[in-house]
Amino acid sequence: MSTPRTASRAASRTGSRTDAPTASRTTGAAGTAQAARVCETALGWVYDHRDAFRLPADVLDPGADVNRTLKPLGELAQLSLSIRTHSDPGSPRHRRAADLLDFAWEQMRQGRLFLDLLRGEPFTTYPLEIYAPFAAAGLRHPGFEELADTVRRTRGWERIEQEPNRRLGVLNSERRVGFPQHGEPSAALARTWLGGLPEPWTFERTAGYGLTHVVFHLTDWGHAPHQMPTELGDYLATWLPAWLDTCLEAEQWDLSGELIAVAGCVPDAASYTALAAAVETGWARVAGIQDAAGGIPENGAGRPHEPPRDFANCYHSTLMAAFAAALTDVRPTAVEVVEAAQAAQAAQEGAP
């Protein structure tokens, strides 16, 4: 991944990009069309590989690796829900995403597995975090929620030590399930790297993944972009193009997809318009690395290079691309934003 030096070099190239609202007036439509194609093929790849998300029989074994079992399934649930939310009801994309969400719920034994997980590890937060998208979709398990509510009212729960962006995610999970939040999201945001509006040249891989998840938790995975503070949207509109350029240059496709998704979460049309040219460039590069089946590697060029395009090195970047593309598909293009602004101005000037 890029080092701070690489990020600084990319940041130094932003001169013309800071006028992105003007530069992007003729861009956007092509990127949206390309995003739609990437979404369909990437979601198809995920659907065709859904058996690889199946949980092993020993998933509750203390030695089982959560990062290889429950984490991928939780990501499948969250991103399938998000794609379904941002798709037209009745469309093939909506139906496929809904099928994947139902598949994930079946793997969680209609919620019973969450109760078993929490009984085994009552002071870990990941069962609630994985459960939250199911609850948001109306798929609930009363027994798990009763136990989780008891645990979250303890002093131990309030003092679980976590990275600030993870704490923001737990707060959002509590909200989605319907629990009172045990802290203020604004306070959690202020403790994150992104919340401090840091020097843009301090961007690197860890900060990149941290900032994307801050945005996802803050905006409820793009469902509530208005919850992002305006100054944060302005900051991202200025610097995200440089960061995305750095990641594309380094062939970091997974993080590139996350940054494109962040662009789809900014709070207003002006911020999104400023990002339109960078988003269009991003989709051209991502589409170029996508294989015929729809898979996208996390890093590098894929076969015949490393890493190979197997499930472990493909599933998250492919899922994320489908999610990012769904967000791009529902945002107005730069052309539409400018035309709407011009029409409003013309109407105002013509008013008596």
Side-chain angles (χ1 to χ4, degrees):
M1 180 49 209
S2 63
T3 63
R5 178 179 297 177
T6 306
S8 177
R9 185 172 68 248
S12 72
R13 295 199 292 264
T14 59
S16 61
R17 295 188 182 182
T18 55
D19 349 335
T22 300
S24 63
R25 289 185 182 182
T26 58
T27 66
T32 300
Q34 199 153 44
R37 291 192 293 272
V38 169
C39 189
E40 302 307 325
T41 51
L43 196 58
W45 185 96
V46 173
Y47 189 83
D48 291 343
H49 289 78
R50 63 192 180 279
D51 282 347
F53 288 97
R54 289 187 181 277
L55 296 177
D58 64 349
V59 65
L60 292 172
D61 190 293
D65 186 352
V66 173
N67 290 321
R68 293 183 177 274
T69 56
L70 290 161
K71 183 174 181 288
L73 191 72
E75 291 164 338
L76 176 68
Q78 175 56 69
L79 297 178
S80 295
L81 172 62
S82 297
I83 294 167
R84 190 187 76 171
T85 300
H86 295 289
S87 301
D88 292 331
S91 66
R93 182 190 304 178
H94 188 279
R95 290 195 298 270
R96 181 155 285 184
D99 287 347
L100 288 168
L101 182 62
D102 289 342
F103 166 82
W105 183 240
E106 180 269 328
Q107 286 299 297
M108 296 306 299
R109 304 170 193 171
Q110 289 74 44
R112 296 189 303 276
L113 189 58
F114 288 110
L115 183 58
D116 294 334
L117 289 168
L118 197 59
R119 283 170 173 166
E121 298 181 86
F123 291 99
T124 189
T125 62
Y126 75 84
L128 180 66
E129 293 172 271
I130 296 175
Y131 179 77
F134 291 112
L139 302 171
R140 310 186 78 113
H141 190 278
F144 169 77
E145 292 188 19
E146 181 180 359
L147 179 58
D149 191 34
T150 299
V151 170
R152 59 165 298 280
R153 285 186 278 112
T154 64
R155 293 189 298 275
W157 178 270
E158 291 182 357
R159 289 160 178 80
I160 292 173
E161 298 183 12
Q162 294 176 309
E163 291 291 329
N165 73 79
R166 182 78 178 276
R167 179 51 59 101
L168 193 62
V170 173
L171 292 174
N172 191 46
S173 296
E174 289 178 324
R175 182 196 60 78
R176 298 172 89 189
V177 176
F179 295 150
Q181 293 173 306
H182 71 278
E184 284 294 328
S186 59
L189 173 62
R191 293 184 57 237
T192 66
W193 183 85
L194 180 62
L197 304 181
E199 299 83 356
W201 54 86
T202 61
F203 174 90
E204 41 75 49
R205 185 177 187 275
T206 300
Y209 278 108
L211 83 86
T212 60
H213 283 74
V214 165
V215 170
F216 298 153
H217 300 319
L218 189 63
T219 65
D220 197 15
W221 298 85
H223 188 63
H226 63 276
Q227 294 179 171
M228 181 187 295
T230 301
E231 64 272 18
L232 202 57
D234 292 342
Y235 177 82
L236 289 169
T238 301
W239 294 112
L240 191 144
W243 298 336
L244 177 58
D245 183 64
T246 299
C247 293
L248 293 170
E249 182 180 340
E251 297 185 326
Q252 293 284 333
W253 309 115
D254 186 56
L255 185 50
S256 294
E258 294 207 6
L259 290 172
I260 295 173
V262 165
C265 297
V266 293
D268 53 62
S271 296
Y272 188 71
T273 303
L275 295 167
V279 168
E280 184 169 355
T281 298
W283 282 125
R285 295 291 308 280
V286 171
I289 199 66
Q290 190 176 34
D291 64 29
I296 298 168
E298 286 197 4
N299 312 293
R303 289 186 179 133
H305 308 289
E306 293 295 333
R309 292 192 179 187
D310 58 12
F311 179 80
N313 288 313
C314 234
Y315 86 86
H316 187 270
S317 43
T318 305
L319 251 179
M320 182 53 62
F323 166 56
L327 289 179
T328 298
D329 213 19
V330 298
R331 294 299 294 253
T333 68
V335 172
E336 291 169 336
V337 170
V338 172
E339 289 177 346
Q342 290 172 341
Q345 183 178 356
Q348 187 176 10
E349 291 172 350

